[in-house]
Amino acid sequence: MDSLISSLSEGRGVYVMYFPTSFRIHAVVVNPFRNKELSPSFLEKQYRDACQALGSLHENITFLVDYHTSIDAGSKHVQRMLLEYRQQHPGPVIGVIECPKLQALKSAVRALDDFPCVTIPCNARDNNYQALGWQATAGRTSMQRCAASTQWFNERISLARYAHVPLGNFELDWLLFTADVFFSRALRDQQQVLWISDDGIPDLGGTYEGDTCFADEVIQPALTYPGAYRRVAVELKIHHLAVNSLLKSSQVDEMEGGPIGSFANDMPAGPNGTETEFDDATLCLPAFQVLKQLIQRCISDAVSSGNVFADAILQHLYRWLCSPRSKLHDPALHHLLHNVMKKVFALMLAEFRKLGANVIFANFSKIIIDTGKVDLLSARAYCDSLLKTLQTRDIFEWVELEPLHYWHSLLFMDQYNYGGIQAKMQNATSEGSSDGDNDIDIVSSWNIAEYLPKATQDHFVLIVSEFLYVPWKYMKEQVALRSTTRDETSCTPSITIMAAENLEVQVIGYLRDQISNYFADKLLRIVSDILHHFKGKGKSESVELTNREPDPHTHKGDAALEFIKHICAVLALDQNVQHDILRMRKNLLKLVRVKEFAPEAQFQDPCASFTLPNVICSYCNDCRDLDLCRDSTLQGQEWRCAVPQCGQPYHREQMENALLQVVRQRERLYHLQDLVCLRCRQVKAAHLSEQCSCGGAFRCKEESSQFLSKMRVFLNVAVSQKFELLQDVVQWILEVR
Amino acid sequence: EAAAFLARFPDAEDDALDLLLDELDKEPLQSSILDRDAVRRVVALLVEADEAVDAASPAATSARSALRVVDSFVVPRFHYDPIKKVFYEHTSRLAIHGEAGDKAALYRDRYQVLLQRLARDIYFSKPAFDTVMTEDDNCEITSIQSLIGCTGRRWIMGVISQLEERQFYLEDLTGAVPIDLSNAKITSGFFVENTVIVAEGELLSNGIFQVNTCGFPPLEDREASLSMLMGLDFFGGGVIPTEETVRLSTLEKKAMNDMFVILSDVWLDNYETMEKLGVVLDGYDSLEAVPSLFVLMGNFCSRPCNLAFNSFEELRLQFGKLGEMIAARSRLKEHSRFLFIPGPDDAGPSKALPRCALPKYLTEELQKHIPNAIFVSNPCRVKFYTQEIVFFRQDLLYRMRRSCLIPPTTEETSDPFEHLVATITHQSHLCPLPLTVQPIIWSYDHCLRLYPTPHTIVLGDKSDQKAFKYTGITCFNPGSFANDSTFAAYRPCTKEVELSALES
């Protein structure tokens, strides 16, 4: 075996050849200039450090460095060395190549034609050289890659043995490839047709007439219960929902009283209802069963035998099913599993509620529940008990729920508009918590605030944070006070319940006082300041202060009015004090001379948005629906995975293409939509008639203005992300010149 | 529109703009807003004048002035007024995403065009003198609403539609009647939903119209249509006065050296296809007279634009390489024009017809090498002197065969392509398929019309290469270049088609 690591950038580059059998590493550096920074001793040190980091043995390696001024000369040198190696070692040899442009490398170094080659996935950052000191960086990186290559190769051999696939056949994405191979074998064993194709649509013979783009139909369900949650809430991450749903689909059948195929009929016929071929669900049932058996075998391999490859396949199951690049990708199969996942998801939420938890928010990745507990220790104990109980349910056997955050207090409008008092992580795990101010973070994640001018934003965040903190602090003090009192009097449990209720009443009363006095005064002053500050500016200047382009329906330019609407919409999330907030709002609106029930006084979320479903990170396998205009982690130029320890950039062209397919699908469906009678609501059947038989006129099910305003969202995304093709396409649809 | 007009005068843009504004002042506007239609009319007039001047110059045989390419989205729309029995132009804005009335108008306009044509046919005219014709020869069309209470044999004309599951109806402007086609004798063509048929039969007591014979509305000669239209511009390339027509026709017949080369399925991402294209270009570059026009139709990628396709940047670079390849053949670059028509699976906003030109993002690199390359919609129209040629790239034959309700008759021909030609010419429509099979932009259905009948129709299809002359109309399919190495060369002076292929 020999390893060849190569990275090139603008006429500069490094080729590193690692010959384990010869105990030799040879570096060829291409540098148009005179400075030579790499030496054998430098490389040796880097290699030793890399081996220590990996925990592998450090052999006695000879290091050699050669310099050339052009890529061609460097390539020739590599060519010559490989030929020499070939002559000295005529036995079997395999090449392990890590290179960004494999074809270009093979063209330049023809000696590689004599070697069977396998490819290590390449990190794009290896090719980004800084202007100065790049040689040391490239040297260190290449030594790390050399040290890792042996381990990588051995892992690949183990995978080849497990999967019974020749070593050289694995593609860059070995997971998709291996899953396809396993599925193919299982289908063949069951005498089923293999629908292998390379464009994401099953090859079932003949030309496929329909467009099977499910992008708009497999949005994850997202349940949102806006409100103010003044007791401890816990945020749970959901793992392995896809695997669990697949394995437990039979139980779901029994509980629902029907076969899996009938799920499609449960779906309400939305705008895409007429387009979906419900027979797809029934037709792919045999394949679904085969898939289920396959996953059961992977579970056995992973759990009983501890096989890491089987475990990885399970981790990436959903990614494989979603990926149109999989050879056996079938949108109907994906759609079917998605329906089962929705069923299991609904059952899980029902179970949570049965166990006394109050759901604040839930989607396929995350659940936030209100524990109903006042202090953190009780909440944590309750949460542990809840998860243990859920784990005993057979239908959730493989689902794993991981607590991520505990919130002392949470003001929740939706997934992208919330604020809360979050307990710090070490506090959540330590036994003796003190619940002091040092142990909390006040989190503000308000997308709607982005549409206020900067100065107003600061006021907004401050008021909301105080609205969270003030009652929580008061409650903490009251609890401490009562704890002291209780120690002295030794009260009975029944009195404790009454005391808890009394405490809540007391906190609400306190908050109402604060609203009438502190908050009302402060907000009146803030609004006056805003009015004064913006009086001297024209409307255009106010609009310029907005960070992003809002929905066209939003009344622009009036900063004070927008501030009032935003802040009162958030504070009114607390049902207990809603009446007081509305009264305060009326007073604030008087200040800007707007009537309470005027249309411009109604709050509307300023951000029209689109959610791109099933975006899967290629690195950490996280699968989520991306809300492209509201998700704060997506703002800015590059879209990255939001998992904290990952941050891998999403593939730009894949993202643009996914959006393009949604646009094309919606455009097509617009032209296929039914017409509806205005009077009798019947769908128009005849083609040539201009009136309904009842005499009514017809209208489109989806008006063109609705359709075009949705398209404007895509145009905004395309412009901000510089998706040029998407921009061309949507501009044509919107007839923008 | 104005920018495109100004681009024709790179050295005198200010003068051209002044001229444009002067002409606009003379234009009677409906409102104070200057809309696209007014600008388009003025630009068309000025372009017409400019080309007349060019034609009168000693370089009258120049292909540049003889050739005019019309994008679908600038073809004027005409409605038929059955009361006055004339066509009038649609003058308001045509939205790409129309309202409910636009969808109904799509069907009604198609029906009206064919009905007014049928009314002039000798067999279906009202008898002027009852005594002259016998009962059996009377083929007057009965409206469907009037069928109620009628007995005996009747002729009706309507659109085939499926208003109920597995029950077909004929619809006309007045109503709909269920039909029984099981024993019908048919003429050539594919009888699919959404085609307009003339049916002879009888209304049974159960309310079903039993069809004995049916066929498509008879064709009308191009000259007859033109004389009736009296100068309306249905084709979109502007109207030529009669005396000018004679002159241009003479020039057209003398244009012996003009040739159009048409290739379909030019896969830029396929190495073999590009090699073959190089051979073709070399071959024509070495001719004494190079072709006037190369028409390259999509698909330009071997894989369809769907969720699994993620290489638009690569495709953009491949268009750039194509530009390099053409530019390397200097005689073609200097003297030939290159026309690019998107295919059904190319990237773009929609699959609905008509399709707009390829996105600018994909074609920018090519235009750096070939600045005068023309990117147009699918379908598109080309006017060469007086000759009208329609180019349409769609895998139509397969869908027609899959969608037809009755197996085609084999009496006149068993060739599927000839049935396809009969269908679209008699229907005067390039794509008379149900909207669910092929969506159509409601307000732009007129762009797919073939009325009056053009001289030549090019149907780019992935099926076999084929040429067919049908009642004076030249129709051909150049075949799939990527799959079969086939292409076509067309000589407009004689209307002859050479079906060509590379040795493989």
Side-chain angles (χ1 to χ4, degrees):
Chain A
M1 166 194 151
D2 74 278
S3 299
L4 176 54
I5 289 91
S6 154
S7 68
L8 303 169
S9 176
E10 300 165 7
R12 304 171 292 168
V14 176
Y15 299 91
V16 177
M17 285 149 286
Y18 171 35
F19 304 105
T21 53
S22 306
F23 301 102
R24 194 154 52 94
I25 290 181
H26 198 134
V28 176
V29 185
V30 178
N31 183 21
F33 311 107
R34 291 178 176 278
N35 56 320
K36 300 184 175 182
E37 298 168 14
L38 293 186
S39 65
S41 56
F42 175 82
L43 291 184
E44 182 168 11
K45 182 183 184 307
Q46 297 302 322
Y47 183 76
R48 194 182 303 111
D49 290 348
C51 286
Q52 286 174 8
L54 287 178
S56 60
L57 293 178
H58 164 247
E59 305 114 347
N60 189 20
I61 302 281
T62 303
F63 292 84
L64 297 159
V65 179
D66 285 293
Y67 272 81
H68 291 279
T69 55
S70 73
I71 299 286
D72 281 352
S75 303
K76 287 188 173 66
H77 193 124
V78 172
Q79 166 92 359
R80 190 162 61 251
M81 291 186 58
L82 289 176
L83 290 176
E84 286 174 10
Y85 182 86
R86 189 42 133 173
Q87 288 163 14
Q88 294 165 16
H89 300 84
V93 181
I94 186 168
V96 179
I97 303 177
E98 184 172 355
C99 175
K101 285 174 181 163
L102 182 62
Q103 291 305 321
L105 177 71
K106 281 200 163 189
S107 299
V109 184
R110 304 306 302 197
L112 289 172
D113 292 350
D114 290 337
F115 295 83
C117 296
V118 297
T119 308
I120 301 180
C122 178
N123 192 319
R125 279 169 288 194
D126 286 359
N127 261 19
N128 295 331
Y129 292 166
Q130 70 269 39
L132 297 175
W134 66 273
Q135 294 181 47
T137 304
R140 177 169 55 253
T141 303
S142 58
M143 290 303 106
Q144 289 165 1
R145 302 285 180 258
C146 283
S149 65
T150 304
Q151 179 174 308
W152 179 91
F153 186 61
N154 288 331
E155 283 176 6
R156 197 46 64 97
I157 291 173
S158 301
L159 173 63
R161 291 193 177 122
Y162 172 67
H164 298 289
V165 169
L167 184 60
N169 283 23
F170 291 109
E171 297 174 355
L172 270 181
D173 194 334
W174 68 267
L175 270 168
L176 293 196
F177 179 87
T178 306
D180 279 336
V181 168
F182 284 179
F183 197 31
S184 301
R185 291 174 182 160
L187 287 171
R188 186 194 56 196
D189 290 344
Q190 298 293 322
Q191 305 286 308
Q192 290 190 36
V193 165
L194 301 184
W195 57 83
I196 289 175
S197 76
D198 58 6
D199 62 1
I201 291 168
D203 181 1
L204 298 171
T207 304
Y208 204 94
E209 286 299 322
D211 269 25
T212 54
C213 178
F214 286 78
D216 259 340
E217 295 171 18
V218 287
I219 302 265
Q220 292 184 25
L223 282 75
T224 306
Y225 298 90
Y229 298 92
R230 302 291 185 180
R231 292 161 186 239
V232 180
V234 61
E235 187 177 326
L236 304 165
K237 173 114 175 123
I238 305 175
H239 297 280
H240 311 313
L241 180 60
V243 171
N244 183 87
S245 302
L246 185 58
L247 295 174
K248 301 300 174 181
S249 51
S250 301
Q251 277 95 320
V252 176
D253 286 358
E254 291 160 19
M255 295 173 75
E256 294 289 325
I260 294 171
S262 68
F263 285 154
N265 299 325
D266 292 339
M267 264 177 23
N272 298 337
T274 54
E275 189 65 22
T276 305
E277 298 171 11
F278 293 123
D279 285 347
D280 279 355
T282 307
L283 289 176
C284 72
L285 271 178
F288 190 82
Q289 297 300 331
V290 171
L291 180 63
K292 187 172 155 186
Q293 291 157 22
L294 173 67
I295 295 305
Q296 278 164 345
R297 283 201 294 274
C298 284
I299 292 269
S300 297
D301 291 344
V303 174
S304 307
S305 311
N307 190 288
V308 294
F309 303 114
D311 188 64
I313 287 174
L314 295 171
Q315 297 281 339
H316 289 251
L317 169 71
Y318 199 58
R319 176 168 82 89
W320 170 63
L321 277 173
C322 288
S323 175
R325 291 187 163 271
S326 158
K327 298 287 192 292
L328 282 168
H329 176 64
D330 185 350
L333 200 58
H334 173 206
H335 198 222
L336 181 57
L337 178 61
H338 182 83
N339 283 334
V340 183
M341 286 169 74
K342 284 199 286 190
K343 291 292 175 178
V344 173
F345 179 72
L347 290 169
M348 190 188 305
L349 294 187
E351 194 72 18
F352 270 115
R353 294 193 176 104
K354 198 185 302 176
L355 294 169
N358 190 21
V359 176
I360 298 169
F361 171 81
N363 65 13
F364 278 177
S365 308
K366 185 163 76 176
I367 305 179
I368 307 178
I369 57 173
D370 181 11
T371 62
K373 307 302 178 187
V374 168
D375 65 286
L376 197 60
L377 280 178
S378 304
R380 204 157 61 79
Y382 173 80
C383 181
D384 291 344
S385 163
L386 192 70
L387 299 192
K388 284 193 177 74
T389 305
L390 207 70
Q391 220 77 67
T392 62
R393 300 282 191 268
D394 180 57
I395 198 162
F396 309 119
E397 181 184 356
W398 302 104
V399 176
E400 196 179 310
L401 294 163
E402 173 195 3
L404 289 181
H405 300 114
Y406 286 87
W407 304 84
H408 290 287
S409 185
L410 190 58
L411 205 54
F412 197 88
M413 179 181 268
D414 61 48
Q415 193 178 356
Y416 304 107
N417 290 287
Y418 62 90
I421 303 176
Q422 188 181 106
K424 284 186 179 173
M425 289 309 289
Q426 63 268 22
N427 185 36
T429 53
S430 68
E431 283 297 327
S433 69
S434 59
D435 278 349
D437 285 10
N438 297 329
D439 296 324
I440 60 164
D441 285 315
I442 297 188
V443 171
S444 295
S445 178
W446 298 100
N447 172 262
I448 56 175
E450 297 293 320
Y451 295 86
L452 298 172
K454 186 65 175 75
T456 317
Q457 270 183 46
D458 295 338
H459 289 308
F460 177 93
V461 170
L462 185 62
I463 291 289
V464 172
S465 300
E466 286 183 336
F467 191 72
L468 282 158
Y469 180 74
V470 162
W472 176 72
K473 187 167 187 293
Y474 177 80
M475 186 170 68
K476 237 161 44 69
E477 290 164 355
Q478 292 303 307
V479 167
L481 188 62
R482 280 153 188 261
S483 177
T484 307
T485 307
R486 189 178 302 113
D487 288 347
E488 294 168 5
T489 60
S490 309
C491 60
T492 60
S494 61
I495 299 175
T496 304
I497 294 170
M498 290 178 59
E501 290 175 353
N502 193 28
L503 174 68
E504 185 159 341
V505 170
Q506 214 170 331
V507 172
I508 292 168
Y510 175 77
L511 183 55
R512 295 174 77 175
D513 286 345
Q514 291 292 302
I515 291 168
S516 302
N517 302 318
Y518 175 74
F519 285 104
D521 287 352
K522 187 157 185 177
L523 283 170
L524 286 167
R525 195 166 354 98
I526 290 171
V527 170
S528 299
D529 287 349
I530 294 172
L531 285 170
H532 182 76
H533 181 247
F534 286 99
K535 191 191 300 178
K537 295 170 182 284
K539 281 179 182 284
S540 58
E541 284 185 85
S542 296
V543 171
E544 281 168 358
L545 293 170
T546 305
N547 293 353
R548 267 177 281 163
E549 184 184 337
D551 190 292
H553 302 297
T554 304
H555 297 275
K556 298 189 201 175
D558 198 328
L561 176 60
E562 290 304 306
F563 176 77
I564 294 167
K565 285 155 61 177
H566 281 56
I567 194 70
C568 291
V570 169
L571 301 190
L573 289 170
D574 194 336
Q575 302 283 320
N576 296 321
V577 296
Q578 203 171 70
H579 185 71
D580 304 81
I581 298 295
L582 291 181
R583 187 165 60 236
M584 180 177 71
R585 188 175 102 108
K586 185 164 72 165
N587 292 331
L588 292 170
L589 288 173
K590 275 181 192 167
L591 212 55
V592 296
R593 296 186 186 82
V594 172
K595 286 183 161 55
E596 184 178 2
F597 297 104
E600 59 266 27
Q602 307 312 307
F603 173 77
Q604 290 180 55
D605 193 328
C607 183
S609 188
F610 171 73
T611 301
L612 185 63
N614 286 311
V615 180
I616 299 182
C617 176
S618 58
Y619 183 79
C620 72
N621 196 36
D622 179 70
C623 176
R624 61 179 63 208
D625 296 350
L626 299 183
D627 191 321
L628 301 178
C629 299
R630 282 196 263 243
D631 195 331
S632 59
T633 62
L634 298 178
Q635 302 313 318
Q637 185 60 37
E638 196 173 36
W639 286 345
R640 293 174 171 273
C641 181
V643 171
Q645 59 267 27
C646 180
Q648 170 93 339
Y650 291 119
H651 191 283
R652 261 182 69 83
E653 280 197 304
Q654 269 178 27
M655 301 296 279
E656 183 178 13
N657 184 44
L659 292 169
L660 180 70
Q661 297 309 318
V662 172
V663 168
R664 279 162 64 97
Q665 158 125 334
R666 291 187 175 189
E667 213 275 341
R668 177 163 176 270
L669 292 178
Y670 183 88
H671 286 105
L672 295 178
Q673 64 173 307
D674 291 320
L675 307 181
V676 183
C677 176
L678 285 168
R679 194 183 293 183
C680 68
R681 307 286 171 191
Q682 291 291 309
V683 166
K684 183 192 189 192
H687 292 329
L688 279 82
S689 56
E690 283 173 320
Q691 283 188 328
C692 187
S693 50
C694 77
F698 290 112
R699 65 164 180 82
C700 293
K701 209 170 220 182
E702 182 190 26
E703 297 293 342
S704 65
S705 54
Q706 281 172 250
F707 173 78
L708 295 176
S709 68
K710 286 182 195 170
M711 288 293 128
R712 250 169 238 121
V713 175
F714 290 96
L715 183 59
N716 294 340
V717 171
V719 169
S720 70
Q721 290 294 312
K722 297 187 174 57
F723 288 154
E724 291 179 44
L725 177 60
L726 183 64
Q727 186 175 339
D728 286 344
V729 159
V730 180
Q731 276 177 342
W732 183 83
I733 288 174
L734 292 166
E735 307 191 56
V736 176
R737 299 301 174 190
Chain B
E1 291 285 340
F5 174 73
L6 295 181
R8 297 171 60 98
F9 306 97
D11 298 323
E13 282 189 1
D14 290 341
D15 293 342
L17 184 57
D18 289 340
L19 181 60
L20 179 64
L21 292 175
D22 288 345
E23 291 298 320
L24 277 170
D25 283 341
K26 304 172 190 171
E27 190 73 18
L29 300 177
Q30 282 81 32
S31 68
S32 61
I33 297 173
L34 192 67
D35 60 11
R36 190 179 63 177
D37 290 341
V39 174
R40 178 161 53 80
R41 283 195 300 271
V42 170
V43 167
L45 284 172
L46 294 174
V47 167
E48 181 67 27
D50 178 52
E51 295 204 351
V53 170
D54 280 358
S57 69
T61 55
S62 167
R64 207 164 296 261
S65 58
L67 202 70
R68 190 178 316 166
V69 179
V70 184
D71 191 280
S72 276
F73 292 94
V74 298
V75 173
R77 181 177 182 184
F78 292 93
H79 302 281
Y80 185 71
D81 185 336
I83 307 300
K84 299 177 183 173
K85 297 202 192 324
V86 292
F87 281 97
Y88 62 95
E89 185 170 355
H90 186 104
T91 53
S92 60
R93 178 178 156 272
L94 293 172
I96 290 172
H97 296 90
E99 303 297 338
D102 297 315
K103 193 178 187 188
L106 181 155
Y107 293 102
R108 297 175 73 89
D109 281 356
R110 276 195 210 177
Y111 183 83
Q112 296 268 36
V113 167
L114 296 178
L115 184 63
Q116 61 88 31
R117 193 178 82 188
L118 184 76
R120 292 194 295 274
D121 187 270
I122 188 169
Y123 293 106
F124 294 95
S125 302
K126 286 189 177 183
F129 304 99
D130 289 340
T131 55
V132 174
M133 307 177 77
T134 64
E135 173 68 20
D136 286 346
D137 291 335
N138 183 3
C139 301
E140 186 184 358
I141 296 293
T142 306
S143 68
I144 285 172
Q145 198 174 57
S146 310
L147 275 184
I148 301 172
C150 285
T151 56
R153 210 176 59 133
R154 292 284 163 176
W155 287 88
I156 60 176
M157 171 172 157
V159 179
I160 303 177
S161 57
Q162 190 178 174
L163 305 187
E164 294 165 18
E165 191 76 21
R166 300 188 205 283
Q167 175 61 61
F168 294 104
Y169 283 68
L170 276 197
E171 274 188 75
D172 71 1
L173 302 175
T174 64
V177 66
I179 57 175
D180 179 2
L181 292 165
S182 52
N183 297 311
K185 289 199 289 290
I186 57 174
T187 58
S188 293
F190 295 115
F191 286 75
V192 306
E193 272 188 68
N194 273 26
T195 52
V196 178
I197 66 170
V198 180
E200 176 265 316
E202 188 168 4
L203 189 65
L204 306 181
S205 56
N206 58 3
I208 293 178
F209 189 85
Q210 174 78 52
V211 177
N212 300 325
T213 62
C214 67
F216 291 145
L219 264 180
E220 183 176 67
D221 189 67
R222 173 182 166 83
E223 298 305 322
S225 302
L226 287 175
S227 64
M228 183 269 172
L229 294 175
M230 290 182 296
L232 292 181
D233 179 25
F234 268 69
F235 193 74
V239 179
I240 307 175
T242 307
E243 58 276 10
E244 189 70 6
T245 301
V246 175
R247 195 181 67 84
L248 289 179
S249 183
T250 307
L251 290 172
E252 178 185 317
K253 286 184 170 55
K254 290 179 179 175
M256 310 293 293
N257 289 330
D258 281 294
M259 188 200 306
F260 299 169
V261 178
I262 299 111
L263 304 97
S264 183
D265 273 352
V266 183
W267 291 352
L268 307 183
D269 64 327
N270 185 272
Y271 180 71
E272 290 171 0
T273 306
M274 293 300 274
E275 263 196 335
K276 295 190 294 193
L277 184 61
V279 172
V280 171
L281 294 177
D282 281 339
Y284 283 111
D285 192 56
S286 62
L287 292 184
E288 182 180 346
V290 298
S292 316
L293 182 69
F294 282 87
V295 182
L296 279 79
M297 301 197 273
N299 300 314
F300 290 105
C301 189
S302 59
R303 307 176 54 157
C305 171
N306 61 19
L307 205 52
F309 185 77
N310 291 312
S311 308
F312 300 115
E313 187 178 355
E314 197 173 316
L315 185 56
R316 174 183 153 104
L317 295 178
Q318 280 150 8
F319 271 101
K321 283 194 180 119
L322 175 61
E324 283 177 37
M325 181 186 281
I326 295 169
R329 288 132 177 109
S330 54
R331 294 183 65 231
L332 295 184
K333 182 186 177 183
E334 290 301 316
H335 304 297
S336 299
R337 298 299 297 271
F338 289 84
L339 185 63
F340 292 87
I341 298 171
D345 288 326
D346 283 324
S350 176
K351 283 193 160 216
L353 291 173
R355 265 202 59 150
C356 65
L358 292 162
K360 172 167 58 67
Y361 174 76
L362 296 180
T363 61
E364 267 170 343
E365 293 295 319
L366 189 147
Q367 277 189 297
K368 290 177 184 174
H369 299 284
I370 312 292
N372 66 351
I374 308 165
F375 298 94
V376 276
S377 65
N378 178 36
C380 87
R381 294 149 185 254
V382 171
K383 200 155 191 175
F384 182 74
Y385 292 113
T386 65
Q387 199 167 134
E388 294 178 351
I389 305 159
V390 173
F391 290 89
F392 187 43
R393 170 71 184 94
Q394 190 75 10
D395 296 332
L396 204 56
L397 188 51
Y398 178 81
R399 290 167 139 181
M400 281 286 192
R401 295 175 79 176
R402 294 264 296 207
S403 301
C404 67
L405 311 178
I406 313 168
T409 177
T410 55
E411 280 182 29
E412 295 176 29
T413 180
S414 60
D415 189 318
F417 184 76
E418 295 185 13
H419 281 289
L420 176 62
V421 168
T423 306
I424 63 172
T425 50
H426 282 268
Q427 295 295 309
S428 286
H429 199 276
L430 281 167
C431 190
L433 283 163
L435 293 191
T436 48
V437 174
Q438 176 53 58
I440 291 174
I441 300 172
W442 305 332
S443 301
Y444 284 91
D445 184 66
H446 63 282
C447 310
L448 301 166
R449 255 183 224 165
L450 296 171
Y451 183 79
T453 313
H455 297 94
T456 300
I457 305 171
V458 184
L459 297 170
D461 197 290
K462 67 181 177 184
S463 54
D464 289 343
Q465 197 180 39
K466 187 70 69 172
F468 179 49
K469 210 136 196 169
Y470 184 70
T471 66
I473 309 158
T474 303
C475 302
F476 62 96
N477 171 18
S480 176
F481 185 69
N483 288 312
D484 307 324
S485 309
T486 53
F487 59 100
Y490 176 70
R491 295 188 178 275
C493 64
T494 59
K495 300 198 180 73
E496 294 297 320
V497 186
E498 294 170 17
L499 299 181
S500 309
L502 292 181
E503 302 296 328
S504 50

